[in-house]
RNA sequence: GGAGCCAUAGCCAAGUGGUAAGGCACAGGUCUGCAACACCUUCAUCGUCGGUUCAAAUCCGACUGGCUCCUCCA
C-alpha cells in the first residue's frame, strides 16, 4: 500500500516518494522556549509524532530533526523590538539562557507525558551561530541579501521570484508594514531580517562580520535543516500558522543559498481552538500543558487529539475530554479482557485481518487517525461479544504489533501491581459479604469509594470483577 | 483590502461521483439487590440557491455563516 500525504506545495494529496530510497529526512519547526508549552504545541507535536511513528512502522529509516529556538525572535519587527526570551528573562529576573533552558526542559517533560517520541536530533539555534553567519554570508555574496548602514542584514525578496508561492500570495497584497512600525533601513517592507545588530542592552548577541548581533527569525531553520538533512530533504512540518511568513522565508533563503530545491513535501497541522475561539494569551483562554495535566490525563489528551484529523482544527472543551476519556477506557478495558484470553498457537482470523487492513489504509491516506481509531471500536465490540480465543489473540497481536506503536496511546499499558490487586480482591470479598447480608448501604459505599479512585466493580452471576479506568 | 480553511444528526466526527462509517448523549430492552460495565434496538439525505451528470454530501458557480493568516505564535 502506498502512502498518500497532503502537500502544502500545490495544495493537494500526493503519493509519498522519498528522495533517497528507504531513507526519510523530516524537519519540524520546534518551540520558541520563552514560556510553558500549550495546547497548540500538543496538537502539532502529537500530529508529527504520529507521522514519524507511522513512517517508521512503514519501514522507513527516518531522521527526524526538530529545532529549539532559544534566541532571537522579536516581539515586533522594528528595531525597537524586544527579544521574547530576553523580555521573559527580565520578568523572571534571571539570565535569558536560564529562561531558554527552563522552558526547553518543560517542553520535553510535557512531550514525554504525551507519549511524544524524542526527535532523532534536537538542535538549538544558539549552537549554530557559526553556520548561520556562514549562510548569511553566502546570501550576501550571491546578491540575495544586503547589509545596511545600521549593520542589519536583510533578505532582498525582489531577488527571489518564487516568494509567495507556498502561501499563495503576492507581495503586493500583503499588509506588510500596515499594521506595525517597520525597520526604516529596509529597501522594501517585505524584506526580512537575516541578522540584526544588537545594542549594548542586548544580552544574547554574537560577533559577526556585521558587528555584534543576533540572527533573524527564519534563518536558523534553513541552517539546521541543511546541516542535518542536506540541501534538499523530504518532509518539512509545522503549524499552519508558520506557512507565512516563516516557511515562505525558509524556502527563499535555502533555495537561494543552496541553489536547489529545498523541500519536497510541506506538511502543516491545523490549529487549536478553545470553546470555538482561537487560543491566545490576549484572549485569556491560553491553556498551558502543565496546567492542563493537573486536570486531565495526558494520554487522554493525546487520544482526543488523534480523534480528529491533523489538518482539521481541534476544539477543546471539558465535555469533549470527558467523552474521549470514556472511549479511551472502553478500549483499554476490552483489551485487558482480550489479553487474558490469548493462546500460543493461533491462525490468522479473516475478520480481524480485514479490520487491520482498514486501519492501515486509513493511516496510508494522509494519516487519517480519526478513521483509523473508529475501526478500533469495531474490535472493542468483537472483544466484548466473542469467546473465540483465536480471534482475541489476533486482536491482541494487532494492538501489540501495529496500533500501539503507530498511535502511541499506551493501550497495552497494564501496569501490574499485584499487591494492589490482592488488596482490591480482599475489599471485594468484604463487600460480597456485606451484600450477602443485604447490607447494601455498606456495599454501595465501598463500590463508590473504589470508583472514585478509578476502580470500577462489575457484578455478574459469575462473581465480581473489576476494571481500572484512566482518571482525569 | 488580499490569501486560505471549514459548514454532515443534540454533540464530536469519517466519507471527493454511485446512493450517508464510527463514537457520545437520548429513548426502549437484556443483565443487576440497585447501579455501573457489556450487549440488542431506535435516531440524519449532508448550510442555502442554481448548474454539470444516468447518478453529487462528494464537481462548478453564487450566497450565507464560522474560523485562520497577512506582526510573533504550533
Amino acid at each position: 500500500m502506498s502512502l498518500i500525504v497532503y502537500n502544502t506545495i500545490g495544495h493537494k494529496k500526493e503519493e509519498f516518494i522519498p528522495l533517497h530510497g528507504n531513507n526519510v529526512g523530516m524537519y519540524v519547526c520546534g518551540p520558541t522556549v520563552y514560556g510553558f508549552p500549550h495546547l497548540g504545541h500538543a496538537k502539532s507535536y502529537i500530529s508529527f509524532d504520529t507521522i514519524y511513528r507511522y513512517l517508521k512502522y512503514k519501514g522507513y529509516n527516518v531522521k527526524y530533526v526538530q529545532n529549539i529556538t532559544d534566541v532571537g525572535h522579536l516581539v515586533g519587527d522594528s528595531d525597537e523590538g524586544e527579544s521574547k526570551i530576553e523580555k521573559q528573562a527580565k520578568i523572571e529576573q534571571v539570565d535569558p539562557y536560564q529562561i531558554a533552558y527552563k522552558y526547553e526542559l518543560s517542553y520535553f517533560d510535557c512531550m514525554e507525558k504525551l507519549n511524544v517520541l524524542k526527535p532523532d536530533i534536537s538542535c538549538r539555534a544558539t549552537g549554530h551561530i557559526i553556520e548561520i553567519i556562514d549562510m548569511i554570508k553566502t546570501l550576501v555574496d550571491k546578491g540575495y541579501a544586503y547589509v545596511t548602514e545600521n549593520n542589519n542584514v536583510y533578505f532582498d525578496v525582489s531577488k527571489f521570484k518564487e516568494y509567495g508561492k507556498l502561501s499563495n500570495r503576492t507581495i503586493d497584497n500583503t499588509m506588510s508594514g500596515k499594521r506595525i512600525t517597520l525597520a526604516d533601513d529596509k529597501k522594501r517592507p517585505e524584506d526580512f531580517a537575516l541578522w540584526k545588530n544588537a545594542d549594548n542592552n542586548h544580552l544574547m548577541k554574537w560577533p559577526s562580520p556585521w558587528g555584534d548581533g543576533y540572527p533573524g527569525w527564519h534563518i536558523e531553520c534553513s541552517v539546521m535543516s541543511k546541516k542535518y538533512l542536506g540541501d534538499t530533504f523530504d518532509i518539512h512540518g509545522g503549524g499552519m500558522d508558520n506557512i507565512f511568513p516563516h516557511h515562505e522565508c525558509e524556502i527563499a533563503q535555502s533555495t537561494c543559498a543552496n541553489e536547489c530545491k529545498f523541500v519536497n513535501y510541506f506538511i502543516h497541522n491545523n490549529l487549536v481552538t478553545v470553546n470555538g475561539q482561537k487560543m491566545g494569551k490576549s484572549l485569556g483562554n491560553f491553556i498551558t500543558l502543565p496546567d492542563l495535566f493537573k486536570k486531565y490525563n495526558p494520554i487522554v489528551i493525546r487520544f482526543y487529539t488523534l480523534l480528529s484529523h491533523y489538518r482539521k482544527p481541534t476544539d477543546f472543551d471539558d465535555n469533549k475530554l470527558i467523552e474521549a476519556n470514556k472511549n479511551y477506557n472502553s478500549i483499554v478495558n476490552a483489551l485487558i479482557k482480550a489479553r487474558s484470553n490469548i493462546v500460543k498457537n493461533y491462525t490468522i482470523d479473516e475478520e480481524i485481518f480485514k479490520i487491520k487492513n482498514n486501519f492501515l489504509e486509513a493511516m496510508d491516506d494522509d494519516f487519517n487517525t480519526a478513521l483509523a481509531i473508529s475501526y478500533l471500536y469495531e474490535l472493542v465490540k468483537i472483544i466484548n461479544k466473542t469467546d473465540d480465543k483465536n480471534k482475541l489473540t489476533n486482536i491482541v497481536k494487532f494492538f501489540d504489533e501495529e496500533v500501539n506503536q503507530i498511535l502511541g496511546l499506551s493501550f497495552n499499558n497494564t501496569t501490574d501491581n499485584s499487591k494492589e490487586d490482592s488488596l482490591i480482591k480482599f475489599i471485594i470479598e468484604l463487600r460480597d459479604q456485606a451484600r450477602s447480608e443485604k447490607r447494601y448501604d455498606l456495599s454501595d459505599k465501598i463500590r463508590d469509594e473504589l470508583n472514585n479512585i478509578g476502580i470500577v466493580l462489575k457484578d455478574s452471576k459469575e462473581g465480581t470483577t473489576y476494571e481500572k479506568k484512566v482518571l482525569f
Side-chain angles (χ1 to χ4, degrees), chain A residues 117-355:
Chain A
L117 299 173
K118 287 232 166 47
D120 296 297
I121 295 174
S122 170
C123 43
R124 296 179 189 148
T126 54
H128 299 76
I129 300 297
I130 291 169
E131 293 92 332
I132 287 172
I133 290 171
D134 205 45
M135 187 180 274
I136 297 172
K137 267 198 260 183
T138 302
L139 287 168
V140 173
D141 289 348
K142 289 184 176 178
Y144 292 111
Y146 57 91
V147 185
T148 71
E149 55 188 15
N150 299 339
N151 293 322
N152 294 319
V153 186
Y154 293 103
F155 187 94
D156 187 342
V157 170
S158 67
K159 297 280 171 62
F160 183 60
K161 286 195 288 284
E162 290 181 16
Y163 190 80
K165 208 175 165 188
L166 180 74
S167 55
N168 196 15
R169 69 186 73 210
T170 57
I171 291 166
D172 292 340
N173 61 35
T174 63
M175 290 175 78
S176 218
K178 289 179 186 167
R179 284 169 60 184
I180 51 165
T181 314
L182 283 169
D184 53 15
D185 58 343
K186 282 185 187 180
K187 281 187 191 168
R188 295 158 59 107
E190 55 276 5
D191 291 348
F192 57 90
L194 297 171
W195 188 263
K196 298 284 277 186
N197 182 254
D199 59 29
N200 288 335
N201 296 326
H202 222 90
L203 297 172
M204 295 177 111
K205 59 186 172 187
W206 293 262
S208 81
W210 318 285
D212 284 0
Y214 53 94
W217 6 292
H218 312 300
I219 192 73
E220 61 174 270
C221 288
S222 283
V223 164
M224 292 189 281
S225 62
K226 176 187 170 77
K227 176 165 180 172
Y228 300 110
L229 297 172
D231 291 354
T232 308
F233 57 96
D234 298 296
I235 297 173
H236 190 131
M240 61 178 283
D241 49 349
N242 275 329
I243 294 174
F244 188 89
H246 186 54
H247 292 159
E248 200 72 73
C249 294
E250 277 185 53
I251 292 172
Q253 292 161 348
S254 293
T255 307
C256 292
N258 305 328
E259 299 188 63
C260 63
K261 190 173 184 184
F262 178 40
V263 167
N264 275 344
Y265 303 89
F266 259 100
I267 299 179
H268 292 98
N269 64 277
N270 215 314
L271 306 181
V272 170
T273 56
V274 176
N275 296 318
Q277 283 268 301
K278 182 194 175 179
M279 184 179 69
K281 277 182 175 167
S282 56
L283 293 167
N285 60 351
F286 193 82
I287 304 176
T288 70
L289 294 178
D291 277 348
L292 196 68
F293 292 167
K294 290 174 193 163
K295 199 171 171 189
Y296 300 110
N297 190 307
I299 204 69
V300 174
I301 293 167
R302 183 182 178 103
F303 181 67
Y304 178 68
T305 301
L306 294 178
L307 240 31
S308 59
H309 192 96
Y310 76 90
R311 281 192 290 111
K312 292 277 178 75
T314 301
D315 187 53
F316 270 80
D317 73 48
D318 287 348
N319 288 332
K320 291 170 187 169
L321 266 297
I322 290 167
E323 182 184 320
N325 191 40
K326 190 171 180 173
N327 288 339
Y328 180 80
N329 280 323
S330 76
I331 295 174
V332 169
N333 287 323
L335 206 57
I336 290 170
K337 183 200 163 186
R339 201 175 290 282
S340 64
N341 283 290
I342 53 174
V343 290
K344 275 185 183 170
N345 298 318
Y346 68 99
T347 56
I348 300 299
D349 182 278
E350 284 300 322
E351 186 185 14
I352 306 306
F353 185 73
K354 203 176 164 190
I355 292 173

Side-chain angles (χ1 to χ4, degrees), chain A residues 397-428:
Chain A
K397 291 280 169 196
F398 173 48
F399 269 84
D400 285 349
E401 288 164 15
E402 3 276 324
V403 179
N404 282 316
Q405 67 166 291
I406 291 170
L407 298 179
L409 286 168
S410 305
F411 288 129
N412 56 344
N413 192 12
T414 53
T415 42
D416 256 341
N417 192 332
S418 50
K419 282 182 184 171
E420 186 187 296
D421 285 349
S422 58
L423 177 63
I424 295 168
K425 279 176 186 157
F426 177 63
I427 294 172
I428 289 174

